[in-house]
Amino acid sequence: MALGEFLAELDKVAADAAATFESVLDSDSLEAARVEFLGAKQGRLKAVQKQMGQVDKADRPAAGKRLNAVKGQVEAAFEQARDRLGAGKSNSPKAGAEQFDPTLPGRSIRQGHLHPITQTIETLKEIMAGLGFSIAEGPEIEDEWHNFEALNIPLVHPARDPLDNFYLSVAGVGKGALLLRSQTSTVQIRIMEKMPPPVRIITLGRVYRPDTADATHYPMFHQMEGLLVDSHVTMADLKSVLRMFATSYLGADVHIRFRPSFFPFTEPSVEVDYHWNDQWIEFGGAGMVDPNVLQAVGYDPEQVTGFAFGLGIERLCMRRHNITDIREFYRNDVRFLHQF
Ligand code: FA5
């Protein structure tokens, strides 16, 4: 076989490969082209290579050199086509360039915002600051002294039942076993232990109870606790502060009522309800601080009296925003959360 004939054959394969790889539209046709030209057994380059043996011996080095050069070109054309399809992910060779249209309006970035309960906490703080209360804080992991004992809840009291609390299995470092606090009343004790009267604080935060979730209960929820201790504090003060708070947060037309109740750490005690959708719904507990509690923190019940309240923050937010199921707050559905 003459060298010229061999080279012509190679040129034909090179030209066909260049045209084919340039026009492949998708990964299937790319693979088909690869097999046609570069296939190890049946590929066209392989077929030309097999003819090398027929070329005159003297011309074989030149033929081999050219064969290698063409092979390099075809491989480069294949790689180029593969990169083009990979980058553009499109059937059109020029699509990668066409996809950027500077005249289209940009996509705006969705801005996040505070969770409705966090927003509610901020609003409640503002209202209570207006009534002269400052903010206090306390830990969510508590010892039995602050969660029960100092609050006049003795060891035998059913509120301490392991089935009604989230006790922790770690060894206690405080007074008694550790648990996730079941009420923010713990912070009353922590504050009174630290400072002498008068006290006028609120504290807002998470509390935990193994309650079954339903429309008005959740195992983790938030409370706002209030505590006012001074000389001559009366139940009338408690009722007017709660009424002022309720009308500020829920509107002047809200109806609230006080029902006699019992808490070990207040005497007398009440529960507070608001009226909503033809029902009375409880949103908090309150009362006059029991003298035993004042004594436990070293205050003199002959000198000072006080009131305390603990309100469910979710229940307040529900009434204000007309949310009928507490579970909405914790489903993490952005369609709900974005409304606030
Ligand atoms: C208490 O937690 C008392 N510490 C309140 C208190 C403070 C009384 C100071 C006297 C003096 P109670 O368990 O009723 O009380 O809860 C208070 C409020 O928390 C309820 O009225 C309700 O609004 C809310 N709450 C209670 N359990 C849940 C729950 N599982 N899910 C959502 N909110 C709840």
Side-chain angles (χ1 to χ4, degrees), residues 17-30:
T20 307
F21 282 118
E22 207 172 300
S23 63
V24 289
L25 297 178
D26 52 36
S27 54
D28 287 348
S29 51
L30 175 68

Side-chain angles (χ1 to χ4, degrees), residues 17-282:
T20 307
F21 282 118
E22 207 172 300
S23 63
V24 289
L25 297 178
D26 52 36
S27 54
D28 287 348
S29 51
L30 175 68
E31 177 58 12
R34 189 191 67 75
V35 171
E36 178 184 348
F37 293 100
L38 295 165
K41 284 187 188 149
Q42 311 279 334
R44 282 177 62 183
L45 268 178
K46 194 76 189 173
V48 180
Q49 192 183 348
K50 279 181 190 158
Q51 294 175 24
M52 276 268 283
Q54 297 164 28
V55 174
D56 296 341
K57 214 167 182 181
D59 292 331
R60 269 187 217 158
K65 205 171 163 195
R66 188 60 188 277
L67 175 73
N68 281 339
V70 168
K71 201 171 169 199
Q73 281 171 21
V74 176
E75 280 169 354
F78 162 71
E79 275 159 25
Q80 236 178 344
R82 189 186 56 193
D83 291 350
R84 168 169 56 77
L85 292 179
K89 293 256 183 258
S90 158
N91 291 344
S92 154
K94 289 191 187 153
E98 284 168 1
Q99 266 179 359
F100 179 68
D101 181 349
T103 63
L104 284 174
R107 270 186 215 141
S108 61
I109 297 170
R110 258 198 180 186
Q111 219 176 359
H113 62 76
L114 295 176
H115 189 276
I117 293 299
T118 311
Q119 293 184 39
T120 303
I121 286 174
E122 292 310 311
T123 309
L124 300 185
K125 281 182 187 169
E126 273 169 36
I127 293 173
M128 295 309 292
L131 292 172
F133 287 78
S134 47
I135 313 287
E137 284 188 20
E140 287 180 27
I141 294 179
E142 261 300 1
D143 55 36
E144 286 179 296
W145 166 258
H146 292 94
N147 203 83
F148 300 123
E149 222 114 306
L151 287 164
N152 204 26
I153 306 175
L155 201 55
V156 291
H157 196 282
R160 295 173 73 150
D161 192 322
L163 294 177
D164 291 334
N165 294 284
F166 289 110
Y167 282 95
L168 304 182
S169 56
V170 291
V173 287
K175 297 182 184 173
L178 295 181
L179 72 160
L180 298 181
R181 68 180 178 192
S182 61
Q183 48 184 345
T184 44
S185 301
T186 52
V187 185
Q188 288 184 35
I189 304 301
R190 289 197 170 269
I191 293 301
M192 289 191 286
E193 280 174 339
K194 268 198 299 213
M195 58 187 282
V199 173
R200 197 181 181 112
I201 57 102
I202 51 162
T203 185
L204 304 94
R206 296 189 187 100
V207 300
Y208 304 84
R209 295 179 191 178
D211 287 350
T212 305
D214 62 21
T216 51
H217 293 86
Y218 209 73
M220 184 284 301
F221 60 101
H222 295 73
Q223 287 187 333
M224 174 169 76
E225 189 86 9
L227 173 69
L228 193 154
V229 183
D230 207 338
S231 47
H232 313 301
V233 179
T234 67
M235 190 81 183
D237 298 322
L238 167 63
K239 289 176 79 174
S240 41
V241 164
L242 284 178
R243 274 197 195 285
M244 272 190 277
F245 162 74
T247 48
S248 297
Y249 183 66
L250 296 174
D253 56 347
V254 69
H255 286 302
I256 68 166
R257 73 174 183 191
F258 297 91
R259 270 183 300 113
S261 185
F262 174 79
F263 295 100
F265 36 94
T266 46
E267 180 59 36
S269 303
V270 289
E271 277 178 317
V272 202
D273 305 334
Y274 53 63
H275 198 251
W276 187 32
N277 295 339
D278 299 327
Q279 284 182 67
W280 287 102
I281 297 188
E282 179 205 316

